[in-house]
Amino acid sequence: MTGRRPRSRSSRALVAAVGLLVILTGPAAAAEPRVDCRGATSGSIDALICGSSLLSALDGETARLQGLVTASSTTSASGAVAPETEQRDWLERRDRCMGGVAPERCALDAYLGRVAALRATNDATRGDEQGISRGPFGWQCDDGAGPLAAVFVNSDPAFLVVRRQNVALTMWRAVSGSGARYQGPDDAMFWEHQGEVRFRERASSPEVTCTSDRRTR
């Protein structure tokens, strides 16, 4: 793993591949959003979330996971960022989506990244199975290029956040006759079947086979 911040290539491809309008208006079975929908004003981030069943579900899941992290953090290590500070910083970045050209797309990417990050960085969230997200789960791949980690977000539609080396890749659930198949930007593919994963980072990348690394579960 490198020290560089993972880069995400999800946003533009999500719009092209599945249609942002469909994504943001489809039903999602999850917790209620934590934002105040009754007091949301037109053009605000709260109104954007309350008007989308998908963003509402992701907002509820993010708040739930954040609660688990906060409850488990009784003390902070020297130099560590407190969970409340980290969440506040993320909320500020999320709110800035409203100043961009595609706030829905920006907010979707922000929420999926936050859910994946909360699950990857705290023991209380890794083992949790109460909400709509699961993971991270890990696999070792046959190309020797490092482990593959994934967080599943079982919203409607469903997503997958894959991390490998310095890359963070958001993918969406695809139709499959067997197993769980996800597709991503530039013909990226993740296909899990009977404990084995076939993964391709992009069209020009070789397809690799990965086996479960239970130490990361």
Side-chain angles (χ1 to χ4, degrees), residues 70-95:
T70 300
S72 68
S73 301
T74 55
T75 59
S76 297
S78 177
V81 178
E84 296 85 353
T85 301
E86 187 178 72
Q87 177 72 356
R88 184 170 60 251
D89 291 344
W90 174 78
L91 286 170
E92 291 177 356
R93 295 193 299 272
R94 180 207 65 178
D95 292 354

Side-chain angles (χ1 to χ4, degrees), residues 1-6 164-167:
M1 299 289 290
T2 68
R4 291 178 294 173
R5 184 179 179 181
R164 197 179 195 210
Q165 297 183 330
N166 67 325
V167 173

Side-chain angles (χ1 to χ4, degrees), residues 27-164:
E32 291 295 319
R34 299 299 176 91
V35 300
D36 181 9
C37 291
R38 291 176 298 179
T41 58
S42 178
S44 67
I45 186 67
D46 287 0
L48 179 70
I49 294 165
C50 295
S52 161
S53 56
L54 175 57
L55 292 182
S56 293
L58 295 175
D59 184 74
E61 179 70 353
T62 301
R64 191 186 68 81
L65 292 173
Q66 180 64 37
L68 293 175
V69 171
T70 300
S72 68
S73 301
T74 55
T75 59
S76 297
S78 177
V81 178
E84 296 85 353
T85 301
E86 187 178 72
Q87 177 72 356
R88 184 170 60 251
D89 291 344
W90 174 78
L91 286 170
E92 291 177 356
R93 295 193 299 272
R94 180 207 65 178
D95 292 354
R96 287 198 291 271
C97 285
M98 297 307 295
V101 296
E104 298 95 340
R105 185 180 69 193
C106 176
L108 174 61
D109 222 25
Y111 272 112
L112 291 172
R114 185 61 175 155
V115 168
L118 286 168
R119 281 204 161 267
T121 57
N122 191 275
D123 289 340
T125 54
R126 287 190 189 99
D128 173 77
E129 296 185 353
Q130 298 303 309
I132 62 172
S133 61
R134 298 289 185 273
F137 300 103
W139 294 267
Q140 292 291 339
C141 303
D142 59 10
D143 62 350
L148 178 74
V151 170
F152 295 83
V153 183
N154 299 316
S155 52
D156 185 6
F159 294 92
L160 174 72
V161 181
V162 176
R163 280 182 166 81
R164 197 179 195 210

Side-chain angles (χ1 to χ4, degrees), residues 173-182 190-194 198:
R173 187 71 180 261
V175 177
S176 174
S178 61
R181 185 184 179 99
Y182 293 79
F190 177 101
W191 192 356
E192 182 183 23
H193 182 59
Q194 296 182 348
R198 292 164 55 192

